[in-house]
Amino acid sequence: MSGSPPKDSTPNREQTFMSDLKVLRLVKKSEGDLPEKAFTAEVVAQPEPKPVTAPVSRPVAAPAIKSVPGRGKQPRRQQEQPSLSREEMLKIFRTMYLSRRLDDKEIQMKGQNRIFFQISGAGHEAILVAAGLCLKPGHDWFYPYYRDRALCLQLGMTPLEMLLESVGAEADPNSHGRQMPSHWGHKKLNIVSQSSPTGTQLLQAVGCAEAGYRVKLVRELKKLVKGFHNDEVVYVSLGDGTSSEGEFWEALNTACNLKLPVVFLLEDNGYAISVPVEVQTAGGDVSKLISGFPNLYRQRCDGTDPLESLATMRRAVDNCRKNRGPSFVHAKVIRPYSHSLSDDEKLYRGEAERVSDAEHDPIKRFGALLVQEGIADQDELQKLKDEIDREINEAADIALASSQPAPETVLDFIYSPSVDPTGPEFDTEDRLEFTGNPGTMVDLINRCLHTEMKRDPRVIVFGEDIADCSREESLSQVKGKGGVFKVTANLQREFGSARVFNSPLAEANIVGRAIGMATRGLKPVVEIQFFDYIWPAFHQIRNELALMRWRSGNEFSAPVVMRVPVGGYLKGGAIYHSQSGVSLFTQIPGLRVVYPSNALDANGLLRTSIRCDDPVLFLEHKHLYRQAYNKSPYPGEDFMIPFGKARTVREGSDLSIITYGALVQRSLVASKQAEQQGISVEVIDLRTLNPYDWNAIAESVKKTSRVIVAHEDTMSWGYGAEIAARIANELFEHLDAPVRRVAALDTFVAYAPQLEDAILPQVADVLKAIVELKAY
């Protein structure tokens, strides 16, 4: 077994047991290999015991739910079982049974068309109750997945709160009626809002743990990050199918590399909907595949045995609590119900397999153990079950009578309700205090990062190649990298490697970790090296970053700033260094998209991005980084430009050009050339694309009655299509000519300069559109 166990691990003892009922073999042993064919009907396990009336009232070494090794094999050694009182044993059973009956109640309600979706945690209850017993709600942090009902109950979520989510009630603390059932989230308990995509939570959990790691390294952060504890642990769970996702491996890589206190719980029920584990995973065993990860304490357990699970989880949590690095628990469980009520397992699972799962039900087995050991008799258990059923029925009645969210609230919490980056407090353009010599866009972005990091210790900067030198012993001997465009130069030298550091070459890793850090109160400003390579992170951006606040009903937020070099006109940038697909991001509610055209605007808009409370995609055109025509002196440490405020860069009366980015300068040049032909052109620089300044557009169109929308993105389905459509819809009576668009061809940017020139819009293209539109 690789991975060092905690030094105070308890000794092993042998346990075997034989009976005459054929059932599936349960995987025993917290450490060592899982059998190649776990769960086969080749072994026998214990029968239903006879009632024993004498209860146990003192703490006892809890008996194991015994499993049998395969025929002809030596018995497996098992870790010592924990000592539990009678009351503790009964509480474990109660939570497990409560979880199962909540699943059953939801299934009943779905059949009655009183709820609209159901996915159960049946068969996973034992390992999840054990996990909840080892962790501290409101102290530790939790990133569960949809099977984790029993964990959430153990942490303190109530049956009523779960059923409020089932019926989509406004009072639902998980999402306030915005997410499906079993999408857990609870601010008070530190259960971070969960979404449907499997695996996205893993990188966020690592980022959450990394926030604590950074707090320990940066003294000032301890006063600024609320709820931090030196011994806090981050729990994250996944199914065996999710281990096929690349983000699973990215999360393990960073957690092990930084020795973060993350408990990874793999709940292996053998199926990802209908796909069995041997099809999902090479060799059918994830634990074998991860055996080479350093600093990772790995264990296996029978996840249907709450006592073995408890012993295993205690060791895993203790390992993290003592800052020894991450822990990985591979718990073998069952799935006695279909994947969800939208699935029918009979279509792909044989009857013998399903029957065997049912016979290995953790509720049945643990109840039988309680009776066998004299902890409770059948009458006591039945009384407990009846009490739980009454509790659930009462909670269901309350939930069904609860108020639904009002339709007018659907737009609430797309963005921060308390910090408005479009407001006057972010508008200091009339209070400029220029100092120093004019600097390029790179210079003023860099200086903004310096001043904002000095102002706010919560600002953390990371990405690929953005540090000066990761090997600090060489820092004094080298000039330093500071990003491929030198935008982050000398940040590491000034603020240290705890706040400025390189990431792996993995874009989802960058954004996912940043979300976890932002959830904890840090302010990550991350760099994606080229817009062309942002797509591995698109999943995190679209489904997690932009939705965190809305889907949780403002319980959680993730104000991350993503700096991204973008655009063409580079001579040699070619296909994979010249893309401009901004419309794929501007259509995402919850994400601010900023696109400055000059050094001054870049400085003010980046400062607004960092100080606002929303996620921001900050696009920096590579061609504009060092142009002499867009230089500016430094405007001061509080210079900000509000989002949604366009700038009229040229007044005109005959025609308006609505543009942004690299097309601003090309439009200005074309407008000066048009002036020689007697045409007066007004040029509007949008500066931010979501939100955009509709009022400025409308005023200019009303003034000139002719309009061109110009951008570097492709013509078809490009950003300008929305602007043009809205002008045609809302300003039609003010138009004297059709709305004209100037954009790139519907193809890719080529390497050869003459091809790039033909593909991207040039000054001549803008001038031609001006002349033709004026003559209409």
Side-chain angles (χ1 to χ4, degrees):
M1 177 69 189
S2 63
S4 300
K7 296 180 181 179
D8 53 356
S9 294
T10 52
N12 295 333
R13 62 188 177 98
E14 296 184 359
Q15 291 187 329
T16 60
F17 187 83
M18 298 292 289
S19 77
D20 57 3
L21 288 180
K22 286 190 175 183
V23 297
L24 294 172
R25 179 172 72 243
L26 279 176
V27 178
K28 283 310 266 189
K29 180 76 171 67
S30 297
E31 302 185 32
D33 293 336
L34 285 168
E36 291 183 2
K37 293 183 179 179
F39 283 47
T40 61
E42 297 176 354
V43 293
V44 292
Q46 94 188 57
E48 209 50 41
K50 296 179 181 180
V52 179
T53 56
V56 178
S57 57
R58 64 185 183 283
V60 295
I65 299 180
K66 300 173 182 177
S67 300
V68 182
R71 291 176 180 172
K73 296 182 180 180
Q74 294 299 314
R76 296 179 178 272
R77 296 179 62 83
Q78 182 178 340
Q79 295 281 356
E80 188 71 36
Q81 298 294 334
S83 295
L84 298 172
S85 68
R86 174 180 185 273
E87 290 72 21
E88 289 170 327
M89 296 278 279
L90 288 174
K91 284 181 180 179
I92 290 173
F93 179 81
R94 189 185 198 285
T95 306
M96 290 171 60
Y97 186 78
L98 178 61
S99 178
R100 180 67 60 85
R101 293 300 287 157
L102 277 166
D103 279 332
D104 294 339
K105 185 64 178 179
E106 286 185 345
I107 291 170
Q108 178 192 57
M109 294 167 73
K110 175 67 169 65
Q112 298 167 340
N113 290 320
R114 304 173 92 176
I115 67 172
F116 317 107
F117 179 78
Q118 206 282 329
I119 191 165
S120 80
H124 294 228
E125 296 94 347
I127 184 64
L128 292 170
V129 172
L133 285 168
C134 299
L135 293 158
K136 304 175 184 178
H139 179 102
D140 298 321
W141 289 80
F142 302 91
Y143 287 79
Y145 89 121
Y146 48 77
R147 303 275 185 218
D148 284 18
R149 183 189 300 278
L151 169 81
C152 295
L153 287 169
Q154 183 61 49
L155 294 176
M157 196 179 295
T158 68
L160 175 59
E161 289 174 327
M162 292 186 173
L163 291 169
L164 287 169
E165 184 181 39
S166 302
V167 302
E170 193 283 328
D172 156 39
N174 297 276
S175 73
H176 301 279
R178 294 182 169 188
Q179 292 219 79
M180 303 162 89
S182 297
H183 287 55
W184 313 114
H186 201 289
K187 184 71 171 179
K188 182 179 178 181
L189 302 175
N190 286 353
I191 302 173
V192 181
S193 175
Q194 175 215 324
S195 66
S196 291
T198 57
T200 48
Q201 74 275 16
L202 291 156
L203 286 169
Q204 294 168 40
V206 169
C208 179
E210 187 176 355
Y213 169 79
R214 302 287 165 191
V215 169
K216 292 176 183 178
L217 295 174
V218 182
R219 183 182 303 174
E220 301 94 324
L221 289 178
K222 291 185 178 180
K223 297 179 181 179
L224 298 173
V225 175
K226 297 179 181 178
F228 168 73
H229 304 280
N230 277 313
D231 67 341
E232 65 186 30
V233 171
V234 178
Y235 162 98
V236 64
S237 60
L238 66 151
D240 52 286
T242 298
S243 67
S244 299
E245 295 279 358
E247 293 182 18
F248 166 70
W249 300 94
E250 293 181 25
L252 278 178
N253 183 47
T254 296
C256 292
N257 202 25
L258 298 179
K259 296 182 69 174
L260 299 175
V262 182
V263 174
F264 294 88
L265 174 58
L266 172 62
E267 301 168 37
D268 182 0
N269 62 31
Y271 277 93
I273 305 185
S274 68
V275 183
V277 66
E278 68 271 16
V279 176
Q280 287 277 347
T281 305
D285 185 352
V286 174
S287 287
K288 291 182 179 179
L289 299 184
I290 67 168
S291 60
F293 277 92
N295 305 318
L296 182 63
Y297 175 40
R298 296 178 294 109
Q299 298 182 94
R300 304 166 181 265
C301 72
D302 171 4
T304 67
D305 179 345
L307 305 179
E308 182 181 338
S309 296
L310 181 58
T312 303
M313 289 304 301
R314 280 181 175 175
R315 292 190 295 272
V317 172
D318 182 67
N319 178 70
C320 290
R321 193 102 48 210
K322 293 177 179 176
N323 294 306
R324 293 169 173 149
S327 298
F328 184 89
V329 175
H330 187 160
K332 196 70 177 71
V333 296
I334 63 170
R335 198 190 77 188
Y337 297 172
S338 294
H339 168 75
S340 72
L341 289 191
S342 301
D343 171 54
D344 182 359
E345 66 172 10
K346 294 179 182 178
L347 297 175
Y348 52 86
R349 297 186 74 187
E351 183 179 359
E353 184 181 344
R354 290 184 287 108
V355 169
S356 293
D357 260 16
E359 289 174 336
H360 247 78
D361 191 304
I363 309 293
K364 178 194 297 184
R365 296 174 71 227
F366 192 53
L369 180 73
L370 295 178
V371 174
Q372 176 194 349
E373 297 295 329
I375 294 169
D377 59 31
Q378 294 284 14
D379 289 341
E380 287 179 286
L381 290 185
Q382 189 59 51
K383 182 179 179 182
L384 180 60
K385 292 176 180 179
D386 292 343
E387 174 188 309
I388 289 171
D389 286 343
R390 284 192 298 272
E391 178 184 354
I392 290 174
N393 287 331
E394 290 172 2
D397 290 340
I398 296 172
L400 288 166
S402 296
S403 300
Q404 294 285 298
E408 58 269 22
T409 65
V410 294
L411 298 179
D412 290 352
F413 311 130
I414 297 174
Y415 301 102
S416 171
S418 56
V419 180
D420 180 10
T422 70
E425 62 271 28
F426 286 91
D427 191 348
T428 64
E429 283 194 282
D430 60 347
R431 299 194 295 275
L432 286 170
E433 297 179 2
F434 286 122
T435 58
N437 296 321
T440 64
M441 183 182 284
V442 166
D443 296 332
L444 265 64
I445 290 175
N446 179 272
R447 191 158 178 186
C448 178
L449 290 170
H450 273 273
T451 57
E452 288 305 296
M453 291 192 75
K454 184 177 180 180
R455 172 182 174 272
D456 187 352
R458 298 176 305 149
V459 177
I460 304 291
V461 175
F462 66 99
E464 299 167 24
D465 299 301
I466 64 90
D468 293 307
C469 182
S470 288
R471 294 174 176 169
E472 293 190 50
E473 66 274 14
S474 302
L475 194 56
S476 61
Q477 307 167 27
V478 297
K479 185 177 180 180
K481 181 72 175 177
V484 295
F485 297 103
K486 300 294 183 182
V487 180
T488 55
N490 294 316
L491 290 178
Q492 180 193 4
R493 292 183 193 274
E494 181 170 346
F495 299 102
S497 300
R499 294 181 63 195
V500 183
F501 49 92
N502 286 326
S503 74
L505 199 159
E507 288 77 14
N509 178 286
I510 295 169
V511 176
R513 287 163 63 191
I515 295 171
M517 293 184 196
T519 300
R520 292 298 306 277
L522 298 185
K523 188 70 182 188
V525 180
V526 301
E527 179 180 308
I528 302 296
Q529 197 165 86
F530 290 93
F531 181 88
D532 315 69
Y533 305 136
I534 199 172
W535 310 114
F538 192 78
H539 192 25
Q540 287 285 345
I541 296 168
R542 173 61 180 82
N543 286 322
E544 301 296 327
L545 177 64
L547 272 70
M548 180 66 75
R549 186 188 298 276
W550 188 87
R551 78 178 189 217
S552 68
N554 200 39
E555 301 290 347
F556 294 95
S557 63
V560 174
V561 178
M562 298 171 290
R563 293 183 40 257
V564 187
V566 67
Y569 302 107
L570 291 179
K571 302 301 181 190
I575 302 169
Y576 299 108
H577 294 81
S578 305
Q579 294 184 65
S580 299
V582 298
S583 59
L584 290 169
F585 295 89
T586 53
Q587 67 170 301
I588 301 174
L591 181 65
R592 309 286 192 180
V593 181
V594 179
Y595 205 141
S597 67
N598 57 77
L600 180 64
D601 288 355
N603 183 276
L605 288 168
L606 180 58
R607 188 169 286 105
T608 299
S609 300
I610 294 172
R611 296 189 188 184
C612 84
D613 197 32
D614 296 317
V616 178
L617 179 66
F618 192 87
L619 298 170
E620 303 167 5
H621 201 291
K622 301 184 293 292
H623 176 73
L624 302 180
Y625 266 151
R626 290 179 170 86
Q627 295 294 338
Y629 60 74
N630 70 15
K631 285 184 175 182
S632 171
Y634 186 65
E637 296 185 0
D638 288 313
F639 172 64
M640 290 182 286
I641 299 171
F643 295 165
K645 182 184 177 183
R647 177 170 172 258
T648 302
V649 295
R650 191 177 196 276
E651 296 281 353
S653 58
D654 294 330
L655 184 147
S656 302
I657 298 179
I658 312 301
T659 189
Y660 60 88
L663 263 294
V664 173
Q665 178 64 16
R666 281 161 176 74
S667 296
L668 285 173
V669 174
S671 298
K672 291 177 182 178
Q673 294 176 1
E675 189 174 28
Q676 297 174 5
Q677 302 182 37
I679 304 172
S680 175
V681 180
E682 183 158 287
V683 180
I684 306 294
D685 180 2
L686 290 176
R687 303 199 288 192
T688 66
L689 306 185
N690 187 19
Y692 64 88
D693 190 344
W694 172 247
N695 290 333
I697 294 171
E699 289 176 10
S700 184
V701 172
K702 290 175 183 178
K703 174 182 176 183
T704 67
S705 299
R706 287 176 170 81
V707 61
I708 295 171
V709 183
H711 57 72
E712 187 178 340
D713 206 354
T714 55
M715 176 76 77
S716 299
W717 302 284
Y719 181 79
E722 168 62 23
I723 303 296
R726 189 171 179 186
I727 291 171
N729 183 54
E730 299 185 31
L731 302 173
F732 182 78
E733 65 273 19
H734 298 283
L735 294 173
D736 290 339
V739 179
R740 183 75 177 263
R741 285 182 289 160
V742 175
L745 301 181
D746 291 345
T747 186
F748 311 99
V749 180
Y751 173 74
Q754 67 271 24
L755 295 181
E756 182 188 55
D757 289 347
I759 292 163
L760 295 180
Q762 306 297 329
V763 170
D765 299 314
V766 180
L767 178 61
K768 180 182 177 183
I770 292 171
V771 173
E772 291 178 352
L773 194 62
K774 179 63 173 68
Y776 181 85

